[in-house]
């Protein structure tokens, strides 16, 4: 660090901006770390203090740094998704990625290649939990004809199968013309955002939320506004307060087994949120990616309670495997046509073979039987990991869920920092810390289903070791 190029076309203050951003993105500078004083930085860079001050002022305005009165300048703990890129000449932008993966995630992905790791950080089912469905026998001629006849909105038989499935599961009354098949719910979400939003628009969502971990949110310069939650979901009063203060364009919600907390929004809270959004004419995107993983009778979807107010996202990828990317968007026909146009113009496709497999599975006479078996396995696995955590109840708060894939575990004692989660990486116990989803470091998301592939006792030992080290710092 602290190297400037006198032959560069960039002025020194912009070189300093670039260097500090790269140091933050690479993990050389960590959130909440204090920078040297401006006078000291000026000496290190060999420039005058006003040059350093200009660079720091811009980094503060872009969300990379924050100043604390009487204390100094610190690396911001704000979510990476809400940091902005400086406007620099094109040749400099092309030489550097606008968004660089969080250094913790980069290290975590490297750790996954090690044989003795216990990986509970992923967002999918283990292969041993995937149910077995028959694949139809098709000739190449049939496949070519299906591809040639494939509508932009998706394979027609799959859309009809989904209409029946959503009616039976959630009492959702939709027509095939209101459905667009996508490559998972994330593609559906990006299509909605690209259709309805422009750079600088504000989207309200739960705090914490997995949206804050998505790179394309930052690169599209969409501002995410996190609204606090309680045990019933996003807090209605706080949402309304922000609507009155900010120009919120869209509300994105994950009511069923929210990612990362696993919480289930109560029926009363669903009705409150709908009332508020109707009052201010704000559309809602309901992401139901985990709806199929419900141990109990499902609550009414927001879409069924307010059809015209809600754009509904669903996915079968959590059931069929992350390699079968099938999801859907359900929206009023007038809006859906615009979303389809966005998909066509951006040349985003949905694999035909995945659609064929999904349609065949949904139409199988034993689909519900196999789904019931899967839910039984998940409930059993969650009970086992909750039993382990019962022995750590003085240190960790863990709330049982009625479905989904995640448990959200919160440290009960001293305030944790990003560097504390290195303890888990060193133990090859891979978890998703809460700083990936919000501005605090106190919690972790565990995919409890993946414990099926690891010895439970080994997980317990590593958790005990990490807990012991954290406790010693109290």
């Amino acid at each position: 660090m602290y190297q400037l190029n006198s032959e560069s076309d960039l002025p020194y203050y912009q070189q300093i901006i670039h260097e500090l951003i790269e140091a933050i993105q690479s993990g050389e500078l960590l959130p909440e770390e204090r920078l040297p004083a401006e006078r000291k930085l000026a000496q290190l860079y060999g420039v005058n203090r006003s040059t350093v001050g200009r660079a720091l002022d811009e980094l503060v305005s872009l969300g990379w740094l924050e100043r604390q009165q009487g204390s100094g300048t610190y690396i911001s703990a704000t979510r990476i998704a809400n940091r902005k890129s400086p406007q620099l000449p094109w040749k400099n932008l092309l030489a550097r990625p606008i968004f660089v993966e969080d250094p913790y995630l980069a290290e975590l992905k490297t750790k996954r290649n090690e044989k003795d790791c216990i990986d509970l950080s992923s967002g999918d089912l283990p292969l041993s939990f995937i149910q077995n469905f028959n694949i139809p026998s098709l000739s190449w001629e049939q496949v070519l004809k299906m591809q040639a006849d494939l509508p932009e909105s998706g394979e027609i038989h799959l859309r009809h199968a989904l209409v029946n499935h959503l009616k039976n599961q959630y009492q959702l009354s939709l027509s095939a013309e209101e459905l667009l098949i996508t490559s998972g719910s994330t593609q559906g979400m990006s299509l909605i955002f690209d259709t309805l939003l422009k750079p600088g628009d504000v989207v309200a969502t739960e705090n914490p939320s997995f949206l804050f971990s998505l790179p394309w949110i930052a690169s599209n310069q969409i501002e995410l506004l996190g609204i606090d939650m309680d045990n019933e979901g996003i807090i209605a009063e706080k949402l309304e307060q922000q609507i009155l203060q900010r120009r919120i364009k869209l509300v994105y919600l994950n009511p069923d087994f929210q990612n990362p907390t696993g919480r289930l929004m109560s029926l009363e809270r669903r009705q409150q949120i709908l009332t508020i959004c109707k009052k201010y004419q704000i559309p809602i995107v309901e992401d139901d990616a985990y709806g199929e993983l419900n141990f109990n009778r499902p609550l009414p979807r927001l879409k069924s309670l307010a059809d015209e107010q809600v754009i509904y996202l669903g996915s079968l990828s959590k059931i069929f495997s992350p390699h079968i990317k099938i999801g859907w968007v359900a929206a009023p026909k007038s809006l859906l046509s615009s979303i389809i146009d966005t998909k066509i113009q951006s040349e985003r496709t949905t694999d035909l073979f995945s659609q064929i497999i999904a349609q065949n599975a949904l139409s199988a006479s034993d689909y519900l039987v196999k789904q019931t078996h899967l839910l039984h396995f998940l409930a059993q696995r969650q009970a086992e990991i909750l039993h382990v955590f019962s022995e750590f109840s003085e240190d960790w708060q863990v709330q049982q869920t009625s479905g989904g894939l995640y448990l959200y575990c919160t440290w009960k004692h001293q305030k944790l920092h990003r560097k504390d989660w290195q303890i888990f990486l060193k133990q090859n116990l891979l978890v998703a810390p809460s700083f990936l989803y919000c501005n605090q470091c106190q919690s972790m998301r565990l995919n409890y289903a993946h414990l099926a592939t690891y010895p439970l006792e080994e997980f317990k030992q590593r958790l005990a070791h990490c807990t012991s080290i954290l406790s010693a710092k109290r």
Side-chain angles (χ1 to χ4, degrees):
M1 283 184 60
Y2 312 123
Q3 297 293 320
L4 300 179
N5 183 1
S6 60
E7 298 181 1
S8 172
D9 294 335
L10 285 178
Y12 284 150
Y13 85 93
Q14 288 189 346
Q15 291 187 48
I16 293 171
I17 289 171
H18 255 314
E19 185 170 275
L20 289 176
I21 286 177
E22 288 180 352
I24 294 169
Q25 291 175 326
S26 69
E28 186 177 353
L29 292 174
L30 296 174
E32 301 180 341
E33 183 175 339
R34 187 177 184 272
L35 286 178
E38 284 188 15
R39 189 182 304 278
K40 178 64 175 178
L41 280 174
Q43 293 174 355
L44 292 170
Y45 279 115
V47 297
N48 60 53
R49 187 174 174 182
S50 62
T51 299
V52 170
R54 182 176 179 183
L56 298 187
D57 285 344
E58 185 156 344
L59 286 169
V60 169
S61 69
L62 293 170
W64 293 90
L65 302 178
E66 56 186 43
R67 287 199 169 100
Q68 297 181 14
Q69 188 70 30
S71 178
T73 304
Y74 292 80
I75 308 303
S76 177
T78 189
R79 295 159 285 230
I80 289 179
N82 277 353
R83 296 174 183 170
K84 300 178 178 64
S85 297
Q87 299 301 307
L88 300 175
W90 278 112
K91 64 179 182 179
N92 295 297
L93 286 177
L94 292 172
R96 296 174 170 85
I98 293 177
F99 180 90
V100 175
E101 187 174 52
D102 187 285
Y104 184 94
L105 275 181
E107 187 174 356
L108 184 149
K109 288 179 179 178
T110 300
K111 286 281 187 179
R112 283 177 178 162
N113 297 322
E114 299 183 12
K115 291 183 179 179
D116 67 336
C117 81
I118 295 179
D119 184 7
L120 307 181
S121 65
S122 69
D124 52 47
L125 285 172
L127 291 179
S128 60
F129 276 41
I130 303 296
Q131 301 299 293
N132 185 37
F133 292 99
N134 294 325
I135 299 176
S137 176
L138 295 172
S139 68
W140 186 240
E141 183 180 4
Q142 287 175 296
V143 172
L144 290 177
K145 186 177 187 307
M146 290 179 71
Q147 185 70 64
D149 296 340
L150 187 65
E152 298 293 348
S153 53
E155 208 279 323
I156 185 62
H157 296 98
L158 173 57
R159 284 187 283 138
H160 281 298
L162 278 170
V163 166
N164 293 332
H165 178 70
L166 295 172
K167 177 67 174 178
N168 294 332
Q169 289 280 87
Y170 310 125
Q171 289 71 56
L172 267 174
S173 296
L174 299 170
S175 68
E177 290 70 32
E178 295 173 281
L179 287 175
L180 165 65
I181 304 301
T182 62
S183 294
S185 60
T186 302
Q187 185 189 74
M189 185 199 318
S190 69
L191 289 170
I192 293 166
F193 281 19
D194 287 349
T195 302
L196 297 180
L197 303 177
K198 62 183 184 300
D201 280 344
V202 180
V203 174
T205 188
E206 298 108 335
N207 181 37
S209 169
F210 95 109
L211 279 193
F212 291 108
S213 68
L214 295 179
W216 56 265
I217 294 286
S219 61
N220 286 332
Q221 299 181 24
I222 297 168
E223 182 181 351
L224 296 180
L225 181 63
I227 310 296
D228 289 341
M229 304 171 66
D230 59 21
N231 288 334
E232 293 188 61
I234 189 171
I235 300 173
E237 294 81 2
K238 294 195 173 185
L239 174 61
E240 185 164 24
Q241 289 172 6
Q242 290 300 321
I243 289 173
L244 292 171
Q245 296 173 17
R246 305 290 303 275
R247 293 179 63 86
I248 294 173
K249 189 74 173 287
L250 200 65
V251 174
Y252 169 93
L253 297 174
N254 190 187
D256 284 66
F257 317 118
Q258 194 259 356
N259 186 3
T261 65
R263 290 176 185 166
L264 180 68
M265 187 184 293
S266 69
L267 177 57
E268 181 180 3
R269 187 64 52 83
R270 294 173 195 235
Q271 293 167 333
Q272 291 173 350
I273 297 299
L274 287 170
T275 298
I276 290 170
C277 289
K278 283 181 181 178
K279 178 179 177 182
Y280 298 101
Q281 291 296 293
I282 299 176
I284 296 172
V285 175
E286 177 183 16
D287 190 344
D288 198 21
Y290 304 93
E292 297 288 304
L293 303 176
N294 195 330
F295 304 161
N296 302 321
R297 184 175 180 178
L299 292 173
R301 270 42 197 163
L302 298 176
K303 180 68 173 173
S304 66
L305 296 172
D307 181 34
E308 291 297 313
Q309 189 77 18
V310 178
I311 306 168
Y312 180 69
L313 289 173
S315 174
L316 295 173
S317 301
K318 302 300 179 186
I319 294 281
F320 295 158
S321 115
H323 305 296
I324 306 297
K325 290 288 187 183
I326 287 295
W328 60 87
V329 176
K333 293 179 184 178
S334 56
L335 173 59
L336 193 68
S337 63
S338 297
I339 297 173
I340 292 172
D341 286 344
T342 299
K343 187 177 183 185
I344 296 170
Q345 292 166 15
S346 60
E347 297 184 343
R348 277 172 271 195
T349 60
T350 303
D351 179 64
L352 172 62
F353 286 101
S354 294
Q355 295 185 63
I356 294 171
I357 292 170
Q359 187 273 326
N360 189 71
L362 278 179
S363 303
S365 59
D366 60 349
Y367 175 83
L368 292 180
V369 173
K370 290 180 176 179
Q371 185 186 20
T372 300
H373 287 162
L374 169 61
L375 297 177
H376 172 75
F377 293 148
L378 286 173
Q380 185 178 44
R381 183 54 55 178
Q382 185 183 133
E384 290 171 352
I385 194 172
L386 286 172
H387 179 71
V388 171
F389 269 100
S390 68
E391 300 183 32
F392 300 89
S393 58
E394 292 185 4
D395 303 303
W396 294 99
Q397 177 182 335
V398 186
Q399 186 170 352
Q400 182 178 3
T401 73
S402 57
L405 294 175
Y406 308 123
L407 289 174
Y408 202 60
C409 313
T410 301
W411 181 248
K412 288 184 174 183
H413 306 303
Q414 79 277 14
K415 181 181 178 181
L416 299 184
H417 303 275
R418 284 180 64 114
K419 61 184 178 182
D420 292 317
W421 294 97
Q422 292 293 320
I423 295 168
F424 288 79
L425 288 178
K426 289 176 181 177
Q427 286 297 306
N428 276 0
L429 179 55
L430 308 186
V431 300
S434 55
F435 61 72
L436 299 173
Y437 312 106
C438 63
N439 275 347
Q440 56 96 343
C441 301
Q442 210 67 13
S443 306
M444 61 180 172
R445 189 197 76 179
L446 299 183
N447 183 331
Y448 64 86
H450 272 267
L451 273 179
T453 58
Y454 305 105
L456 202 59
E457 188 60 31
E458 180 63 26
F459 163 72
K460 180 179 175 180
Q461 290 175 7
R462 296 192 195 188
L463 177 62
H465 185 80
C466 295
T467 300
S468 175
I469 295 174
L470 290 175
S471 294
K473 295 184 176 185
R474 289 164 57 185

